[in-house]
Amino acid sequence: MKKIFTFVALVVAVCFAVPAQAQFKFGLKGGVNITDMSFNSDVLEASNRTGFFIGPTVKFTLPLLGFGVDVSALYDQREAELKDSDAKLKQKAINVPINLRYDIGLGSLAAVYLAAGPQFGFNVGDKSQTLVENVSEWTLKSSNFSVNLGAGVMLLRHLQVGFNYNIVCGKTGDVTVINTVSGAYESFRNRSNTWQISAAYYF
């Protein structure tokens, strides 16, 4: 709970830091995830790494200069199928990206933008999942920090289409597997970097 309050305070600080003459727009954002769930390939292999995200977004833009900030609160769901198994890895979170952006105007019809910034994630799904009964288990962290790098196009000043690469700083969780020879449990770190394709509409 303390982390959530800290995050809210950070978002408020960002909002107040934006000059009064900035243009403000509220919108809705959604898209698809293609997640690279990195495991020790000798232990687990995952495929069909898909998911989606959706939620409100706000955008501040400085007139003439093209610089701005966008902040979103996204419900994010990711999953992957384990090869040679019926098990699925599922990850549900509230992700809050805070991106600095630069818009390059191409007239009144379109603009190209570049964006980068931190993202704060809070796990709202199961924190531990059994992958193979009595053999392996996946344990997720309660929160994580990552960095976004992205670009896209703004059409007619309202519709935004973009792509983004989300890089996790640290680990997403741990996979614990029993060694069938020694009977001892071994732990392996997991990371979940993600390609994202998004669309947003600003009112």
Side-chain angles (χ1 to χ4, degrees):
M1 186 63 69
K2 183 183 293 185
K3 292 181 179 179
I4 294 178
F5 284 134
T6 301
F7 157 72
V8 171
L10 178 62
V11 173
V12 171
V14 169
C15 293
F16 279 106
V18 178
Q21 68 268 29
Q23 298 175 352
F24 170 88
K25 287 188 176 182
F26 172 82
L28 183 65
K29 184 176 185 179
V32 296
N33 293 315
I34 304 173
T35 305
D36 178 15
M37 292 187 176
S38 176
F39 296 99
N40 184 320
S41 60
D42 294 332
V43 179
L44 294 172
E45 289 190 80
S47 62
N48 297 329
R49 309 173 184 91
T50 58
F52 68 92
F53 56 92
I54 189 169
T57 183
V58 292
K59 179 167 70 88
F60 307 92
T61 305
L62 293 174
L64 303 178
L65 298 179
F67 290 100
V69 178
D70 66 55
V71 182
S72 306
L74 306 172
Y75 172 76
D76 188 299
Q77 180 170 308
R78 308 175 187 186
E79 68 175 42
E81 296 178 356
L82 290 182
K83 293 182 179 180
D84 303 320
S85 171
D86 294 329
K88 284 188 177 182
L89 305 175
K90 294 186 178 181
Q91 184 179 353
K92 300 177 182 179
I94 299 297
N95 287 331
V96 185
I98 304 175
N99 293 319
L100 298 176
R101 55 186 288 156
Y102 179 65
D103 290 66
I104 305 169
L106 302 176
S108 60
L109 296 181
V112 175
Y113 74 89
L114 303 174
Q119 176 171 293
F120 302 88
F122 305 94
N123 181 26
V124 295
D126 296 332
K127 293 186 179 180
S128 62
Q129 301 172 33
T130 299
L131 305 181
V132 180
E133 192 69 33
N134 299 322
V135 175
S136 60
E137 185 176 79
W138 189 31
T139 304
L140 288 170
K141 293 179 63 179
S142 297
S143 62
N144 62 71
F145 175 78
S146 56
V147 175
N148 289 312
L149 299 173
V153 62
M154 193 80 178
L155 302 172
L156 302 174
R157 299 180 180 177
H158 292 282
L159 180 62
Q160 175 180 291
V161 180
F163 69 91
N164 183 73
Y165 188 57
N166 177 252
I167 306 168
V168 174
C169 299
K171 65 181 180 180
T172 305
D174 295 289
V175 174
T176 303
V177 180
I178 188 172
N179 188 310
T180 55
V181 177
S182 66
Y185 283 92
E186 300 178 4
S187 182
F188 301 90
R189 298 175 64 181
N190 158 247
R191 296 182 64 184
S192 300
N193 295 338
T194 305
W195 285 101
Q196 298 177 318
I197 302 173
S198 66
Y201 186 84
Y202 290 96
F203 301 98

